[in-house]
Amino acid sequence: MTAATTTMFTIDDPLGRMTVEPLDVAGHADLLHAWITHPRSVFWGMPDADFDTVRREYQRIDANPHHHAWLGRLDGVPLFLTETYEPAHSELADHYPVQPGDVGMHVLVAPPDGEPRHGVTSAVMRTVMAFVFADPAHHRVVVEPDVRNEAIAVKNAEAGFVVDRLIQLSDKQARLSFCSRSAFSASRLAGADGSATESPMTPPAHLAPGPIAAAHRQLVAKAIAEFSHERLIQPRPDDTLPAGPGGDGYQLTTGDRVAYRFRARRYALDHWLIDAASLTREVDGTPAELDALDLVVELRETLGIPAKLLGTYLEEISATLAGAAWKHHHRRERAADLVHADFQTIEAAMTEGHPLFVANNGRIGFGLADHEAYAPEAGTPVRLVWLAVRRDLSTFTAGHGVDEQSHYLDELGAETLHRFADQLHDLGLDPANYRYLPVHPWQWEHKVGVTFAADVASRAIVPVGTSPDRYRAQQSIRTFFNIDHPHRHYVKTALSIQNMGFMRGLSPAYMRATPPINDWVADLVAADDTLRDCGFEVLRELASVGYTGDAYHRSGAPVSAYQRMLAALWRESPVPRIAPGQRLATMASLLHRDRDGAHLATALIAASGLPAADWLARYLRAYLRPLLHCLLGHDLAFMPHGENLILVLADHVPVRVFMKDIGEEVVAMHDRELPATVERIRMPVDDDFRVLAVFTDVFDGFLRFLAAILDADGVLPADRFWQLVAECVRQHGDDHPQLRDRLNFFAPTFRHSCLNRLQLRNTLQMVDLTDQAGSLIFVGTQDNPIAAVAAPAP
């Protein structure tokens, strides 16, 4: 939004007609000088400026392409001055990570002429925020008022601003504060409480025809691809659509009225790579818009969704669309930029959730403001809510080397612990009778403060404040990374939202066994020479806490969502474990595709300078080899999808990996003796099932996507990709002949496990966590891609 492109902005406020126009420095100089030097404008910083100084300052702003000044009027009478600026080109760039769509703002209301008029400041702030958000490129307003300006702090809070932290600028100590578009729309100032019902409310920028159409196109392409992969639908060749760069022509009919046409390339493991740009839809022979919701409705009988759960699945599809539209509109990073990006920039930039699941971004329970505040792609710093919970009504489990008191001291610091204790003392409570439990802010606001109201009132649960450290939500959405102290632990919290087939809670009972399980797995991994040689490590979940004093636990009822609302765990950070010059990235980033269609994996290979085959071989040694060894040598299987692994990159090449989420997603596939505290992970199965830990979870769950990306980008032919996978498997066998024949990874076929079918069958809970193997759905077999290629002679 610039003075060159904007003439006048107008809204009708309850106070009158408000307008905003570009400032005419020459014409408004006298007015500016009178306003800025008035005693009430002391925080503007120019109380003693003469006329020429003020004029020169605004001539400088007028000449700056990154900073603009505007004059506001009420019913034609000058009333306020506002400035907008790009934070990336300001002093603020040194104080926080500027995001695309951030816009800085200053506002000055004219000193009153006579008796002050009630509601003027609110009307001005409402108008300025509406004016800024009228530009669809703006999705967050940044302000930095002087800490002494209490009046503007109150008004900012009414507008939806949240103070991030205090910062020292060149001319003041300031409250760095942020307000998203949806936070303003939901604010008191914008009229959420009915106080300003005539004020304008613009729809969120991402919920516009352009971004949502892009989201529909990508999701329809993915749905057709994955439903075809799971043999729920069968597109057939279409001779009317000639082959092109995107592959051969195909057609899918859904009932008698609707037909889809597209180009696609087909790869091993029944993988479809659909050219989304080629997708068209016809209804009764007439071109129609692509609509992912309509596709599910058209296929509802074919997909086998129970009638009572159809609405829930459609809601998850809707939420997935909304999230994709938000990312399409706001996340502008190019794959080439992410090659050099830091860990958390990459984490927030991911535009795709779980690669297999169609409805993979449900987050049912989050509103617009919640998405802006807590979604990983929003990248908004979050301060966790801390509760003091009675020791006799809670549990704390520590792993090796962890002491409860030292743990809290390391995570919170002495000053914060003293502050929490003082708050308990003020209530007449003894801090020695309490321990601390971190809670997601959404969970406190929407669940704990209501669902556990009696416990809060009885002081069994006492809110004691927010953390001084700021965190960023990770792709797994309920796990947080400490951005102020990256060496401190991740925090995983209970979050009672529905996402991808599960309510994302945490059970205190389940958490009690998590540290011992992690210790056992970590000790096993650390003692293995092959795993050490690969650099393979696990990030231990080393402490957990849970509250059990509520009526839901006292009822003795089977474990339900109500008993999974108040627990948390701490997981080791990978940051202290990397060497200088190494970087971290979620493995999910290898499948990342930016707005322009460029893939990060391709960009990394290009930046490394290595031949693609060499790069892939090093990646497979870091990722596949240790997984093979854990399975063959220890009957230990992980859930090794992209978000559960963190790559360590050196010169843009994966050199080793960290495995995480151990407590919930590791299984011991044997019936040998286990420590009692680890017994939960036992899942004895036969060899046909055991081998699926590689075939399903690695080959089908991740590598098929990467193989298609590298082939379609012209980086590495798919046959050569699978040949290198075969070489990795054979090399492990050659190095460990005593293990080589335990499982046949070169069998011609393996059972086809279908994950979307699980979610379609029951989108509220895909699997029974007490019988995960028995919950799976198999449909026929798949051809083994490494049985079909021969490794070349050394």
Side-chain angles (χ1 to χ4, degrees):
M1 182 180 294
T2 68
T5 58
T6 302
T7 55
M8 181 175 288
F9 173 82
T10 303
I11 64 171
D12 289 320
D13 189 87
L15 203 65
R17 172 152 291 194
M18 308 290 285
T19 59
V20 182
E21 65 194 63
L23 179 71
D24 177 0
V25 177
H28 300 140
D30 289 332
L31 192 66
L32 281 175
H33 182 256
W35 287 1
I36 288 172
T37 59
H38 192 280
R40 290 184 56 132
S41 304
V42 62
F43 296 114
W44 209 252
M46 302 177 71
D48 301 318
D50 59 25
F51 177 87
D52 287 338
T53 299
V54 172
R55 178 172 52 81
R56 284 195 301 269
E57 172 65 12
Y58 281 89
Q59 285 175 337
R60 183 188 63 79
I61 291 175
D62 191 52
N64 186 343
H66 307 295
H67 196 157
H68 306 292
W70 315 85
L71 181 72
R73 300 175 186 268
L74 170 59
D75 294 330
V77 178
L79 178 66
F80 61 93
L81 169 71
T82 187
E83 296 174 15
T84 57
Y85 64 93
E86 298 173 34
H89 296 274
S90 77
E91 188 180 0
L92 285 185
D94 296 328
H95 292 274
Y96 87 100
V98 179
Q99 297 181 18
D102 281 359
V103 57
M105 181 270 285
H106 300 142
V107 63
L108 173 67
V109 180
D113 183 10
E115 287 297 318
R117 185 176 174 185
H118 179 70
V120 168
T121 307
S122 293
V124 168
M125 179 65 84
R126 189 159 48 239
T127 299
V128 170
M129 294 295 285
F131 165 66
V132 173
F133 283 131
D135 187 335
H138 296 157
H139 72 272
R140 189 169 66 161
V141 181
V142 186
V143 295
E144 16 69 56
D146 193 301
V147 293
R148 297 168 296 170
N149 193 344
E150 295 296 339
I152 197 63
V154 171
K155 197 57 59 180
N156 285 344
E158 289 179 9
F161 281 93
V162 175
V163 177
D164 184 73
R165 66 186 185 278
L166 300 185
I167 59 174
Q168 185 60 55
L169 298 178
S170 59
D171 60 344
K172 62 185 177 183
Q173 188 180 33
R175 290 185 176 98
L176 179 65
S177 308
F178 300 94
C179 182
S180 66
R181 181 186 298 273
S182 56
F184 170 63
S185 296
S187 72
R188 177 181 177 185
L189 198 67
D193 66 347
S195 63
T197 55
E198 295 180 33
S199 64
M201 181 176 288
T202 58
H206 67 287
L207 298 184
I212 205 71
H216 274 299
R217 181 168 293 277
Q218 293 298 328
L219 192 55
V220 168
K222 178 172 183 172
I224 293 175
E226 290 306 303
F227 292 157
S228 298
H229 170 74
E230 297 195 8
R231 301 170 189 172
L232 287 158
I233 56 176
Q234 294 180 326
R236 64 179 187 273
D238 187 345
D239 296 336
T240 67
L241 187 63
D248 296 326
Y250 290 90
Q251 179 181 150
L252 172 70
T253 57
T254 58
D256 298 330
R257 303 178 55 225
V258 185
Y260 296 82
R261 290 183 172 82
F262 55 90
R263 294 187 180 90
R265 300 180 184 185
R266 299 187 64 178
Y267 292 98
L269 296 171
D270 294 324
H271 184 73
W272 292 71
L273 185 62
I274 293 177
D275 176 15
S278 71
L279 260 170
T280 62
R281 176 180 180 233
E282 294 181 356
V283 178
D284 295 329
T286 301
E289 297 291 333
L290 294 170
D291 189 309
L293 295 159
D294 280 351
L295 176 65
V296 171
V297 172
E298 292 159 10
L299 292 172
R300 61 188 183 280
E301 293 184 5
T302 300
L303 299 179
I305 307 172
K308 65 180 180 180
L309 294 178
L310 177 59
T312 304
Y313 189 72
L314 287 172
E315 187 175 7
E316 289 220 50
I317 290 288
S318 292
T320 300
L321 282 170
W326 194 98
K327 287 178 273 193
H328 177 85
H329 181 77
H330 292 300
R331 302 304 319 194
R332 307 293 179 110
E333 300 92 343
R334 297 179 305 143
D337 298 328
L338 294 178
V339 166
H340 308 284
D342 63 58
F343 183 26
Q344 290 306 296
T345 298
I346 293 172
E347 187 79 17
M350 298 298 94
T351 53
E352 176 64 278
H354 197 296
L356 287 85
F357 288 98
V358 176
N360 63 15
N361 204 21
R363 305 170 184 173
I364 297 174
F366 271 6
L368 289 170
D370 299 321
H371 183 275
E372 298 276 357
Y374 308 125
E377 60 269 18
T380 305
V382 175
R383 284 189 168 87
L384 301 178
V385 173
W386 284 81
L387 307 178
V389 295
R390 273 176 41 184
R391 286 185 171 275
D392 60 331
L393 300 177
S394 61
T395 61
F396 183 94
T397 308
H400 295 330
V402 178
D403 167 75
E404 182 175 359
Q405 298 307 313
S406 298
H407 170 76
Y408 283 125
L409 182 62
D410 291 342
E411 285 297 293
L412 290 167
E415 182 179 347
T416 300
L417 287 176
H418 287 317
R419 173 163 57 89
F420 288 174
D422 287 344
Q423 290 186 247
L424 291 171
H425 280 304
D426 290 345
L427 293 171
L429 304 172
D430 184 353
N433 295 331
Y434 288 82
R435 58 167 52 96
Y436 299 113
L437 190 158
V439 175
H440 194 294
W442 185 97
Q443 192 79 352
W444 163 251
E445 174 69 20
H446 295 273
K447 292 296 178 182
V448 181
V450 177
T451 310
F452 296 83
D455 303 78
V456 175
S458 70
R459 302 293 190 252
I461 297 173
V462 183
V464 289
T466 58
S467 60
D469 289 355
R470 296 169 306 143
Y471 293 82
R472 287 269 292 268
Q474 303 298 278
Q475 287 292 312
S476 53
I477 204 165
R478 57 180 168 165
T479 301
F480 291 94
F481 178 86
N482 192 319
I483 58 177
D484 286 327
H485 295 90
H487 287 64
R488 286 179 172 171
H489 304 312
Y490 287 97
V491 181
K492 186 173 183 178
T493 61
L495 185 59
S496 299
I497 63 169
Q498 180 74 21
N499 188 47
M500 210 172 76
F502 283 104
M503 183 70 73
R504 297 291 161 174
L506 290 177
S507 161
Y510 205 76
M511 291 300 100
R512 276 199 294 270
T514 294
I517 290 170
N518 276 260
D519 286 344
W520 183 81
V521 173
D523 289 347
L524 182 152
V525 167
D528 190 287
D529 291 339
T530 296
L531 298 177
R532 284 202 307 272
D533 182 60
C534 292
F536 181 77
E537 296 182 50
V538 298
L539 298 177
R540 280 194 310 149
E541 291 151 350
L542 62 139
S544 66
V545 62
Y547 178 73
T548 57
D550 50 87
Y552 312 105
H553 279 88
R554 295 195 301 270
S555 70
V559 175
S560 68
Y562 296 100
Q563 294 157 294
R564 303 179 72 225
M565 290 185 182
L566 269 179
L569 63 80
W570 288 267
R571 175 189 298 142
E572 292 173 315
S573 167
V575 173
R577 301 197 194 180
I578 62 174
Q582 294 183 335
R583 295 189 305 113
L584 299 168
T586 171
M587 196 177 80
S589 66
L590 295 185
L591 308 185
H592 173 67
R593 178 180 184 270
D594 67 20
R595 278 173 50 118
D596 299 323
H599 292 100
L600 180 55
T602 296
L604 284 171
I605 292 172
S608 75
L610 290 177
D614 291 352
W615 188 97
L616 182 67
R618 296 189 190 190
Y619 162 65
L620 292 171
R621 178 179 176 80
Y623 169 54
L624 177 58
R625 182 180 171 92
L627 296 177
L628 290 168
H629 190 75
C630 285
L631 184 62
L632 291 169
H634 305 288
D635 291 316
L636 194 67
F638 302 91
M639 185 64 70
H641 60 68
E643 184 51 30
N644 268 0
L645 284 106
I646 298 172
L647 302 175
V648 179
L649 300 168
D651 297 322
H652 312 298
V653 181
V655 294
R656 60 195 184 99
V657 302
F658 294 111
M659 178 67 68
K660 63 185 183 69
D661 217 0
I662 304 302
E664 287 193 287
E665 298 192 345
V666 69
V667 292
M669 294 182 163
H670 60 67
D671 56 7
R672 298 189 295 277
E673 183 177 355
L674 286 173
T677 54
V678 181
E679 184 63 33
R680 186 183 80 196
I681 71 171
R682 183 193 301 279
M683 189 176 73
V685 293
D686 60 24
D687 285 352
D688 286 344
F689 194 98
R690 190 177 287 116
V691 77
L692 297 181
V694 170
F695 285 149
T696 297
D697 296 336
V698 180
F699 288 10
D700 194 54
F702 195 84
L703 292 184
R704 71 174 166 101
F705 296 94
L706 184 59
I709 286 170
L710 299 184
D711 182 275
D713 283 357
V715 174
L716 188 70
D719 285 350
R720 179 62 177 142
F721 181 101
W722 290 110
Q723 193 176 68
L724 289 163
V725 174
E727 289 179 24
C728 181
V729 175
R730 282 200 176 95
Q731 186 63 57
H732 181 270
D734 292 344
D735 293 342
H736 304 85
Q738 75 280 12
L739 301 177
R740 178 168 43 203
D741 297 327
R742 285 206 63 204
L743 294 171
N744 183 11
F745 291 114
F746 291 93
T749 62
F750 60 90
R751 285 190 287 174
H752 186 188
S753 178
C754 300
L755 298 188
N756 277 285
R757 287 178 181 256
L758 297 177
Q759 189 177 9
L760 293 166
R761 176 182 65 187
N762 186 353
T763 195
L764 295 176
Q765 182 169 324
M766 290 193 298
V767 298
D768 179 354
L769 294 178
T770 64
D771 183 19
Q772 297 187 45
S775 299
L776 298 181
I777 297 176
F778 297 99
V779 179
T781 61
Q782 290 184 290
D783 292 335
N784 182 359
I786 69 170
V789 294

